[in-house]
Amino acid sequence: MKKRIFITATNTDVGKTYTTKLLLKEYAARGHKVGVIKPVETGVLDSRYPDGDELYSLVCKLNPAFKQLSVEDIVPLSYELPAAPFIASGGEKFAVQRVMSAIEKLEDLCDILLIEGAGGVLVPLDEELMVLDLIVQTKATALLVTHCSLGCINDTLLSKKALQDASIAHAVVFNCKKEEDESFEVVSRPYFDAKKWDVLKTNKDIDTLCDVLYNL
């Protein structure tokens, strides 16, 4: 099995796609053949994939072998309604085997495969499965992307506990928007420093983050 890294988050719109693109670029710069898959995307309308199109365009530049594929190959499941997959699909059973087959197909083209989840760790994929369960099934290392605004301590600890309880090896990265960075240092970071966390940020520590994830 190739190296699999599953990018998840504390919530939707926290920066998973942005972080995934940074990781793709950094690993490619190190000489790795990179690949990416977003198992399910919602909010897909008129064949426009808000995240999938960005990921497909970038991975084709970094790994020309992906040019033989289409965006549907890296987003095997898609729905129009911008909601949790369980709701967007109308309650369909999540097609785990279809996702796993897509992962295996893409791994023939790369040595590091980034898997970008939908929403946060506990987003429901169907009536029984959550994103957390998909991480377990893929046997991937996980990256938890969290925000830097007020409340990030609670959000980060809750999501991290879910990963720990599922025995998933993981790292955490803080995706600070420009307007959040200064306040984060004052109102949130002191807690993480007191707990001796190695605080990594997407805009400053992507190289270190790549090392951490690769060695997990």
Side-chain angles (χ1 to χ4, degrees), residues 1-192:
M1 189 174 73
K2 307 293 179 70
K3 181 68 178 179
R4 298 174 180 176
I5 301 172
F6 199 113
I7 294 86
T8 187
T10 53
N11 209 321
T12 189
D13 201 27
V14 172
K16 291 188 304 296
T17 301
Y18 170 72
T19 304
T20 299
K21 289 166 66 177
L22 290 178
L23 292 173
L24 284 170
K25 291 175 184 176
E26 179 64 23
Y27 281 127
R30 297 180 180 200
H32 290 287
K33 290 191 296 180
V34 294
V36 68
I37 182 171
K38 187 174 179 73
V40 57
E41 183 169 8
T42 62
V44 175
L45 189 62
D46 296 329
S47 297
R48 293 190 182 91
Y49 295 74
D51 298 332
D53 287 336
E54 286 188 38
L55 295 173
Y56 176 67
S57 177
L58 178 60
V59 77
C60 285
K61 293 176 183 176
L62 299 175
N63 184 349
F66 271 71
K67 291 181 180 179
Q68 65 185 281
L69 305 176
S70 68
V71 67
E72 287 83 4
D73 290 303
I74 68 167
V75 187
L77 300 172
S78 63
Y79 304 98
E80 286 189 13
L81 184 67
F86 167 61
I87 297 170
S89 70
E92 289 180 1
K93 186 172 179 58
F94 189 75
V96 175
Q97 191 49 55
R98 183 173 171 183
V99 169
M100 296 306 296
S101 295
I103 286 174
E104 291 166 7
K105 175 183 176 181
L106 296 181
E107 283 184 326
D108 288 338
L109 307 176
C110 61
D111 52 57
I112 296 180
L113 182 66
L114 303 187
I115 308 169
E116 184 187 319
V121 174
L122 296 183
V123 162
L125 301 175
D126 61 22
E127 199 166 357
E128 297 178 353
L129 297 177
M130 295 183 173
V131 167
L132 184 73
D133 300 302
L134 186 59
I135 301 174
V136 172
Q137 295 208 32
T138 59
K139 298 180 180 177
T141 293
L143 173 62
L144 176 66
V145 182
T146 187
H147 62 93
C148 295
S149 57
L150 189 62
C152 73
I153 295 174
N154 178 73
D155 293 348
T156 304
L157 294 182
L158 285 173
S159 295
K160 182 174 176 60
K161 186 177 190 307
L163 293 168
Q164 288 173 329
D165 288 349
S167 300
I168 296 171
H170 63 279
V172 177
V173 68
F174 292 83
N175 185 43
C176 296
K177 297 175 183 176
K178 239 179 225 186
E179 63 272 18
E180 296 171 345
D181 204 21
E182 188 174 338
S183 64
F184 170 77
E185 295 294 322
V186 176
V187 303
S188 299
R189 181 162 186 163
Y191 171 82
F192 297 111

